[in-house]
Every structure is written in C-alpha cells, then in structure tokens.
Amino acid sequence: MAGNNAVAYKSPGKVEVIDIDYPTFELKDGPGVNPANVGRKVPHGVILKTVATNICGSDQHMVRGRTTAPPDLVLGHEITGEVVETGPDVEFLQVGDLVSVPFNIACGRCRNCKERKTGICLNVNPDRPGSAYGYVDMGGWVGGQANYVLVPYADFNCLKFPDKDQALEKIMDLTMLSDIFPTGFHGAVTAGVGVGSTVYVAGAGPVGLAAATGALLLGAAVVIVGDMNADRLKQAASFGCETVDLTQGGPAEQIEQILGEPLVDCGVDAVGFEAKGHGAGASEAPATVLNSLMDITAAGGALGIPGLYVTGDPGGVDEAAKKGSLSLSLGTGWAKSLSFTTGQCPVMKYNRQLMMAILHDRVSIAKNVNAKAISLEDAPRGYAEFDSGAASKYVLNPNGYIKN
C-alpha cells in the first residue's frame, strides 16, 4: 500500500508534514472528525492521487489559532487529482481520470443540493449545513494536502477534465477551480457585476485577485482593489486593476480620485473576520470592511461577501467578536437598499464554465494570482511566507505532476 504524507496543523503558527493512513472507503476517527461521522461508509467515493493542492487564506485562519481546530487536523480543501481507486457505487468515473474537486462536499441528493446550493448540503456534516475537506467543524473529512485523499459522492462532486494532457499543461490554472476562482467569481456575481460596472474589491490576497479577475471576465469597466500590502496591490495592478492603498486611510477619497465620485456600483469583501481598520498601523477591527463597503456602494447596489466569517474565534478582539458578533451599521445598508450575499461559494455553479474559459485561453488566473508550485515538504515555508504577506498563491505538488 502506498505511503501517505500530509500537512497538519500542530499549534498556532505551526504546521508539519506527518504520516497518515492511506484512505479507505470509510470515514475513520481522527482529529476533527465528528463522532457521528465515524464509521460512515463511502462506497460512492474515489481515492485520488493528488496532482495539486493549494494553501488557502482560510487555512491560515486555523494555522494562526483563530479557530477551534484541533492539533493534527490534516489541512487542505483545494484539491485536484487523478483517480486511482473507485468505490463500488461509482458509475461514471474511471481510474486515470483527472478531476477538480469542489472544496465544499455535497451529497447531490438533499433539497439544497438539488437547488444548486451545494455549499450548504444537508447530509455531510452532522452539526450544520455545509462541509469541506480538512476544515474545523466541517464534519471531519480528511484534508487534501496529502499524497492521497478520499472524495465522497464522487460522481456528483468531481469535475472531470475532458483532455488529460491538455489539463496537465494548464494545471496551474485549473487547480484554482477547486476554490478561489469560483469563490472570487461568486463574489463578483453576487455583487451584481456586469458590463460597464464599477467594482471595489476589499483585499488583494488570492481570493480578492480572483474576484477582480472574475469582475473583469464579467465585463466590469473599472475594478478597484484595496489593501495595505504594497506587493499585493502591485499584483492587482499587473492585470489591469486600479488600486487603493489603505495605509493612507479609507477607500472613499481614493475611489473618488479614480472615478470622480466616492461610490462604486458593486462591492466585494475578500478579507473576512480578521479585517483591520484603515490607516498606517491600524489594528484589527473586524467590521471595518463590511461597514466601509456599505458606505461606498451606491444605493440599490449589492455586496458579495466571500470573505470568511466564523462563529468561534478564540483570538477575537472582544467577547462579541469571539462569537462572530460584529458591530455592523445595518441601518446604512437598509437605508441604501443594499443586498448582501454571504456563505460558502457553491463551486459547482461555476466551475465548469470557468474551466472552459481557462481551456480556451479566455483567462489566466494562475498568472493573476501569481501561483507558485512548491513541494509538499516545503508546505511549512509556504504557510509562513503566505502569512507574512507574500503576493503569491502557493500550490503544493505532492506527487511530482507539476513540472517547473
């Protein structure tokens, strides 16, 4: 049986590559596994040999100790892989197929899945709607930052690439289909971006850059990206975005210099619950982004909120923030008739269309997010560099499929 190494959370600020069991078609007990899921049979699953698996900003929240993730939780919800085993109930996938795996696990059978709300499947997490690989409070499905990973409900969840050789040539782009490209695109779609829109994206990390890419793909006239990190702002500018340096203060005045007015049609929050205030040396103030977006989005507009917000944050700035209770100016949103869309992106709503855009050279998401491939053993360095603000999206290459 093949060995299986994986990236695991150990303690705040620390990840390690550890040995774990090779997957089987049954969910075993382990760190973070919901007791009600232990022993769950997965005849509808496949085992993948991982082709690419990415470090995500959502992983960083756990690694910083900002969630209740237990030690030795295997990380990784952005998975692309080759099928090496199929369960007895799998009909349409075969050994050798190359597939993208949505980060949200969905059964395909419940009411929400049938309504394309795959981010809030009712059957995969005993505690609440919605699940994901390698994530705290998501049912305990083992993460994919490993040599091998189990994918349940595989006929439904897996997006098969039509041409394996072509897919391997474009793997650095296609690996983004598991999460950040659909997530950023979802942020732009739910913010109402269309032809001629003016758009403000808060956050120039990978999801923010993916949202900016999505906004351009949707026909936006102007996409403005705000951040405090100069290197990340340069990355946004590299593919045609305007930028706002939030160390200089709030976004409204700088937006006015760009557009002639301090308002945009559409706003996207790609920051989430670890947001800081505006200005040099600003401290954490988790409602800042949402409140500023309400201020600068035109009346009747919409906010797409793919940035992560949690119900349990041990490192929250106050007791309310530790429970996910933020001081929102909801009156502003109400008075301006703004719409809000939150929650996990339903990846399958978008991933096939975005795959086609990649395969037919309509978009270069890997270039836009500055994707860099590193080995699985190098994951601790990738996590540290990403946490320090590197303007890169780190792609782990556990089995040598990616040729640098």
Side-chain angles (χ1 to χ4, degrees):
M1 182 176 291
N4 198 18
N5 294 326
V7 181
Y9 167 72
K10 301 297 287 188
S11 62
K14 185 177 182 181
V15 299
E16 285 184 3
V17 178
I18 64 172
D19 293 325
I20 64 170
D21 291 338
Y22 184 85
T24 65
F25 295 105
E26 179 181 325
L27 194 56
K28 304 290 182 62
D29 196 8
V33 179
N34 190 298
N37 261 351
V38 174
R40 185 171 182 162
K41 306 297 183 183
V42 191
H44 41 69
V46 297
I47 295 172
L48 300 183
K49 187 175 184 180
T50 306
V51 172
T53 177
N54 315 326
I55 296 174
C56 180
S58 298
D59 297 320
Q60 289 285 18
H61 295 306
M62 289 188 290
V63 172
R64 293 187 190 116
R66 297 298 297 267
T67 71
T68 55
D72 288 326
L73 180 76
V74 174
L75 302 169
H77 55 270
E78 301 189 13
I79 305 164
T80 307
E82 181 180 12
V83 177
V84 292
E85 291 187 49
T86 61
D89 290 353
V90 173
E91 286 190 77
F92 305 115
L93 293 172
Q94 298 178 348
V95 170
D97 286 344
L98 198 65
V99 300
S100 177
V101 181
F103 77 91
N104 27 41
I105 303 168
C107 73
R109 305 168 185 184
C110 70
R111 172 182 174 175
N112 284 351
C113 285
K114 290 176 181 178
E115 294 176 355
R116 302 183 76 195
K117 301 172 184 175
T118 53
I120 43 173
C121 173
L122 300 174
N123 288 332
V124 287
N125 183 355
D127 282 343
R128 66 181 76 170
S131 188
Y133 303 89
Y135 214 85
V136 60
D137 296 332
M138 288 292 185
W141 301 92
V142 178
Q145 289 177 11
N147 296 109
Y148 298 90
V149 62
L150 171 68
V151 174
Y153 303 102
D155 280 326
F156 183 67
N157 283 304
C158 292
L159 174 68
K160 179 183 171 181
F161 298 132
D163 184 298
K164 188 173 181 179
D165 291 336
Q166 181 193 27
L168 287 171
E169 289 176 5
K170 293 181 176 289
I171 195 63
M172 292 293 281
D173 291 290
L174 294 171
T175 187
M176 306 304 166
L177 292 174
S178 57
D179 182 357
I180 67 161
F181 197 11
T183 293
F185 191 77
H186 179 63
V189 168
T190 55
V193 177
V195 174
S197 297
T198 58
V199 186
Y200 177 72
V201 178
V207 170
L209 297 175
T213 301
L216 292 170
L217 195 60
L218 289 164
V222 183
V223 179
I224 304 168
V225 180
D227 206 293
M228 296 182 171
N229 182 313
D231 290 337
R232 290 182 172 180
L233 289 175
K234 288 178 184 175
Q235 188 61 33
S238 74
F239 60 94
C241 299
E242 301 287 342
T243 60
V244 164
D245 181 357
L246 295 174
T247 66
Q248 304 302 308
E253 182 177 333
Q254 295 177 69
I255 288 172
E256 185 170 19
Q257 292 172 359
I258 296 166
L259 297 177
E261 61 177 347
L263 295 172
V264 293
D265 300 323
C266 315
V268 179
D269 173 5
V271 178
F273 74 101
E274 288 192 63
K276 294 182 179 180
H278 298 138
S283 58
E284 188 170 313
T288 299
V289 169
L290 292 171
N291 286 330
S292 68
L293 282 173
M294 285 190 277
D295 286 336
I296 64 174
T297 301
L303 308 185
I305 308 173
L308 175 67
Y309 289 87
V310 297
T311 56
D313 173 13
V317 293
D318 53 36
E319 289 306 309
K322 289 178 182 179
K323 297 182 290 185
S325 298
L326 309 183
S327 297
L328 296 180
S329 180
L330 190 59
T332 300
W334 191 94
K336 296 176 73 174
S337 294
L338 299 176
S339 300
F340 304 78
T341 301
T342 64
Q344 287 188 30
C345 164
V347 169
M348 278 189 276
K349 192 172 181 178
Y350 308 104
N351 62 351
R352 185 185 181 279
Q353 298 96 311
L354 295 176
M355 175 188 75
M356 295 300 287
I358 290 168
L359 293 178
H360 293 278
D361 299 318
R362 298 302 183 199
V363 66
S364 300
I365 184 64
K367 176 178 176 291
N368 289 3
V369 301
N370 193 27
K372 293 184 177 179
I374 61 175
S375 68
L376 189 73
E377 291 70 28
D378 250 356
R381 175 180 65 84
Y383 270 95
E385 291 182 2
F386 187 34
D387 192 49
S388 69
S392 298
K393 173 70 172 177
Y394 289 95
V395 177
L396 302 182
N397 183 22
N399 292 302
Y401 284 88
I402 302 171
K403 308 302 180 185
N404 293 320

